[in-house]
Amino acid sequence: MSDDSVMIAANDDTLDPLADEADSGTKNRAKVGSSRPSALLYTFGVGSVMDLPHFSVMPAGLDDWDRIWARRPTIPSIDEPRLLDVVRLHLGPQVSALRPFPWQPKTNMKSQEGSDIGVPARVFPQYMRCTGCQKLAPLHEFTYTNTHPFRPDLAIFEHSNCPGRGARGRGASAKNGQTKSKKQVRPVTPARYLLTCPNGHLDEFPYDLWVHRGQQCDKAKHPDLKMRDNNVGQGTSTTIICMTCGKTRGMSEALGDAGKKKLPLCRGRHPHLNAFDSSCGSESTLIMMGASNLWFSSTQSVIVMPRSEAEDEASLADKLRSAFEPDKLTKYADLPDIFRDVIGDSIDLSGVTDEELTAAVKIALAPLPSEAERQEKLKKWDPVDLLVPEWNFLQKAPLMDQHEDPSGLMVTPTPKSDRLPAQISQVIAVNRMKKINAFLGFTRLDDMDRVEDVASRLVSMTLSGRPKWVPATEDRGEGIFLQLDEVAVAKWEAEIEASSLWEAHRDSHFRNYSRRMSATGKVGDPDERFPSARYWLIHTLSHALIREMAMSCGYPAASLSERLYAWKGDAQRKPAAGMLICTTSSDSAGTLGGLVALSAPDRLEMLVNRALRRACRCSSDPVCAQRTPKVPEDFLHGAACHCCSFASETSCERSNRFLDRRFLVNLPSADGDVVRGFFDVR
């Protein structure tokens, strides 16, 4: 775990792990775990279920984060107006800032700096199962221990009076001809079954009602339950047993379409908000605690680029709007000298002239766009809009040999080797770069691309449903930018899109879109989701280079990521054909220089040519080389597999979809349709 890991804490009365089940008890104000910022953004963010060594927690909503930040006189923010505009477009104009995760570095291992801040969380699920006697009960029936200040991994729930699995369990002793079971302390683990719905609600499984088939136990109001596995590792063989009345019921009955009819309707619970949405009533779905479709994050990211004067003014206006009420801004709108004294040290005004300050105040006082205007703009928004400024900057080589911008971006144009394929028109070493990632929300059951990016499917992160800020991370790193010759790409693309192979890929995408669209999604045009042939080309080349670079740069393959610039030109933007292969991290691991070193002419020439030669062969050939989707198949790749082209999920921006080695190099075809690879390697 790196030094920049964020502590996960249940350190507020309203977030006490026992509060959901009991109003009294010892309050837990200690740390229970830690996580890297990137994991909190993409894997264990607000509303997710995060596994700790002995139990699971759910990071709380942003309302509870505000109480954590209130412990500091000033709240840090990440200044990136281009990304903030996109967040506002999706979540509303009330979003005023991008904030880092609550964290403070320590001067030494035993110091107490930052011990009072962390990501607030609550224990979830709150039904636990004893590893000794298999008792199934809520939290308040077990004992919680978390006393070591420097070992949050020792936090644990235990069954202090566990009798064991039988009358003569472990520790039993005989005296005077009688058998007596010795009580023991056993750890408990989370019960793994949950209920969810397409609207993003998540709830505990009603074990009591399940085993009694929707009724109360006729012998006790709170009966004793047990969860017994008939076969280890097979969740469907689990049986719930009521020890009070003797009734049993298997969990296999809750599976499938038939099982849905036996489950209660969704209660609209949001555990991360400690609240219920009574307007749901949707059909519930059984889900396991570690299921991959329990939580999908929705994020947007940008690479920090040099700003224009308008962006600087907008950034200052955001800070003023967040720090001062409109009446105060109006009062000092034309008094910049006095306003500077009022602002003091709360906002950095170094280098800001009186004219720029006055202009920023006017922008801050301007009326925000209406909801109708925002929705209309959101319909027309294209994620490519975030990439256009980056492409425009990177494809133009700086006038000097090395250029470092105040934004933190440092690039160096690199000469091409004579043996580098001529189709690569430009190489730029990105010595330093900064990437900002913002968390917009999350969905359950369906990823955003399966609901046609309907923003209403995002689960709220606040009780009001309109967050005033969103979590963000600031990563630093390095990379290599490669630009392909646009004339060659356009000519090759026209040939490919007229081939039968391209038509097969297009038909397979249509089948995939039709079959996997969420039942609650907005049906759109599949062709709008189908990337152009140049995207397939650049994406496949990127994966080939990532796999090759990982053997030479000193970074693991999972640390390398791609940022693809691949779109046809239109009235709003010029065509693009290039890629940035980079590595970024919130600590120094992203700036070691090993990746930039590969941009040297001789090393890059050897690396690219070797990657293309490897693309000509796969250990799964000829099956892989001749793979073309046919009815009823709906996979979204061609000549690509784990042996030759697939990359880790942290590296690929499209989950290993839209890949085909035949677009890079010439490969044999089973049906005789010869497709010319862009690099035409023989």
Side-chain angles (χ1 to χ4, degrees), residues 240-387:
I240 308 301
I241 305 170
C242 177
M243 302 303 294
T244 304
C245 67
K247 292 183 179 180
T248 64
R249 194 176 188 186
M251 292 300 301
S252 59
E253 293 186 37
L255 300 177
D257 294 336
K260 282 187 177 183
K261 299 178 182 178
K262 302 176 183 179
L263 298 175
L265 296 178
C266 178
R267 297 193 302 166
R269 186 184 183 190
H270 286 308
H272 64 292
L273 301 178
N274 196 22
F276 287 83
D277 182 4
S278 59
S279 62
C280 185
S282 300
E283 191 177 62
S284 296
T285 299
L286 181 70
I287 192 169
M288 303 292 282
M289 191 179 71
S292 59
N293 62 341
L294 179 64
W295 189 86
F296 297 100
S297 66
S298 177
T299 62
Q300 293 291 341
S301 63
V302 299
I303 294 175
V304 179
M305 293 287 161
R307 295 184 190 172
S308 63
E309 293 183 4
E311 288 176 328
D312 284 334
E313 290 180 353
S315 176
L316 180 56
D318 288 331
K319 296 176 183 178
L320 294 173
R321 189 185 296 113
S322 178
F324 299 99
E325 296 295 330
D327 56 346
K328 183 168 285 191
L329 292 176
T330 303
K331 181 178 179 180
Y332 297 107
D334 298 321
L335 301 171
D337 291 337
I338 301 177
F339 197 24
R340 286 179 183 272
D341 295 335
V342 174
I343 294 173
D345 297 332
S346 60
I347 299 177
D348 183 12
L349 295 179
S350 57
V352 179
T353 64
D354 289 348
E355 291 77 11
E356 291 171 341
L357 179 58
T358 301
V361 172
K362 291 181 179 178
I363 295 174
L365 287 171
L368 297 175
S370 65
E371 182 64 17
E373 292 174 335
R374 183 180 73 86
Q375 292 292 344
E376 185 62 28
K377 189 175 180 181
L378 183 59
K379 291 179 182 178
K380 300 178 181 178
W381 181 75
D382 188 341
V384 170
D385 295 341
L386 277 175
L387 302 175

Side-chain angles (χ1 to χ4, degrees), residues 208 212 216-224 242 244-245:
D208 189 353
H212 296 103
Q216 294 291 333
C217 179
D218 54 8
K219 293 187 178 181
K221 183 177 181 181
H222 300 290
D224 293 331
C242 177
T244 304
C245 67

Side-chain angles (χ1 to χ4, degrees), residues 12 26 39 86 99 129 134 176 193 240 242 287 289 302 490 525 529 550 572 591 614-615:
D12 190 283
T26 303
V86 174
R99 292 185 188 174
R129 175 195 185 190
Q134 300 180 333
N176 298 327
Y193 298 99
I240 308 301
C242 177
I287 192 169
M289 191 179 71
V302 299
D525 183 4
R529 290 293 191 89
Q572 284 74 36
T591 56
R614 288 184 188 273

Side-chain angles (χ1 to χ4, degrees), residues 279-548:
S279 62
C280 185
S282 300
E283 191 177 62
S284 296
T285 299
L286 181 70
I287 192 169
M288 303 292 282
M289 191 179 71
S292 59
N293 62 341
L294 179 64
W295 189 86
F296 297 100
S297 66
S298 177
T299 62
Q300 293 291 341
S301 63
V302 299
I303 294 175
V304 179
M305 293 287 161
R307 295 184 190 172
S308 63
E309 293 183 4
E311 288 176 328
D312 284 334
E313 290 180 353
S315 176
L316 180 56
D318 288 331
K319 296 176 183 178
L320 294 173
R321 189 185 296 113
S322 178
F324 299 99
E325 296 295 330
D327 56 346
K328 183 168 285 191
L329 292 176
T330 303
K331 181 178 179 180
Y332 297 107
D334 298 321
L335 301 171
D337 291 337
I338 301 177
F339 197 24
R340 286 179 183 272
D341 295 335
V342 174
I343 294 173
D345 297 332
S346 60
I347 299 177
D348 183 12
L349 295 179
S350 57
V352 179
T353 64
D354 289 348
E355 291 77 11
E356 291 171 341
L357 179 58
T358 301
V361 172
K362 291 181 179 178
I363 295 174
L365 287 171
L368 297 175
S370 65
E371 182 64 17
E373 292 174 335
R374 183 180 73 86
Q375 292 292 344
E376 185 62 28
K377 189 175 180 181
L378 183 59
K379 291 179 182 178
K380 300 178 181 178
W381 181 75
D382 188 341
V384 170
D385 295 341
L386 277 175
L387 302 175
V388 172
E390 301 170 13
W391 168 256
N392 291 339
F393 178 84
L394 289 172
Q395 70 169 333
K396 298 177 182 177
L399 297 178
M400 57 189 72
D401 291 340
Q402 192 174 77
H403 177 75
E404 183 172 7
D405 188 80
S407 64
L409 183 66
M410 180 177 178
V411 297
T412 305
T414 304
K416 292 174 48 183
S417 168
D418 294 337
R419 295 183 297 274
L420 190 70
Q423 294 91 332
I424 299 177
S425 61
Q426 183 174 218
V427 179
I428 295 179
V430 183
N431 305 80
R432 296 176 190 165
M433 57 177 285
K434 189 160 56 174
K435 185 179 180 184
I436 310 297
N437 316 283
F439 179 69
L440 274 64
F442 64 94
T443 59
R444 302 197 195 278
L445 292 182
D446 300 301
D447 198 355
M448 282 295 287
D449 65 351
R450 294 302 180 190
V451 297
E452 197 64 24
D453 294 331
V454 179
S456 60
R457 282 292 303 276
L458 285 175
V459 180
S460 175
M461 295 186 290
T462 63
L463 289 171
S464 66
R466 300 180 68 83
K468 296 181 179 179
W469 59 273
V470 296
T473 61
E474 188 175 33
D475 300 339
R476 289 172 173 81
E478 57 177 298
I480 301 176
F481 173 75
L482 300 179
Q483 181 178 352
L484 303 186
D485 181 77
E486 174 58 33
V487 176
V489 170
K491 181 180 179 181
W492 171 87
E493 188 174 39
E495 295 177 5
I496 289 297
E497 293 186 351
S499 67
S500 60
L501 173 62
W502 183 250
E503 190 64 26
H505 280 314
R506 187 165 176 261
D507 292 343
S508 180
H509 175 267
F510 179 82
R511 292 190 292 270
N512 184 286
Y513 180 92
S514 303
R515 294 170 183 174
R516 287 171 170 77
M517 177 57 61
S518 169
T520 61
K522 174 186 174 184
V523 179
D525 183 4
D527 286 339
E528 293 181 358
R529 290 293 191 89
F530 188 53
S532 60
R534 68 174 62 203
Y535 186 94
W536 287 66
L537 164 67
I538 294 170
H539 193 196
T540 309
L541 176 61
S542 173
H543 279 225
L545 293 178
I546 286 176
R547 293 168 69 98
E548 196 66 36

Side-chain angles (χ1 to χ4, degrees), residues 107-156:
T107 55
N108 58 70
M109 180 178 178
K110 295 185 178 181
S111 62
Q112 295 297 313
E113 294 97 340
S115 60
D116 61 333
I117 63 173
V119 176
R122 67 174 65 249
V123 176
F124 187 87
Q126 296 200 336
Y127 258 88
M128 311 293 278
R129 175 195 185 190
C130 177
T131 57
C133 64
Q134 300 180 333
K135 178 179 180 178
L136 179 65
L139 286 180
H140 68 265
E141 296 193 24
F142 302 106
T143 304
Y144 179 72
T145 305
N146 184 11
T147 58
H148 199 297
F150 306 113
R151 292 292 304 275
D153 58 297
L154 297 180
I156 189 172

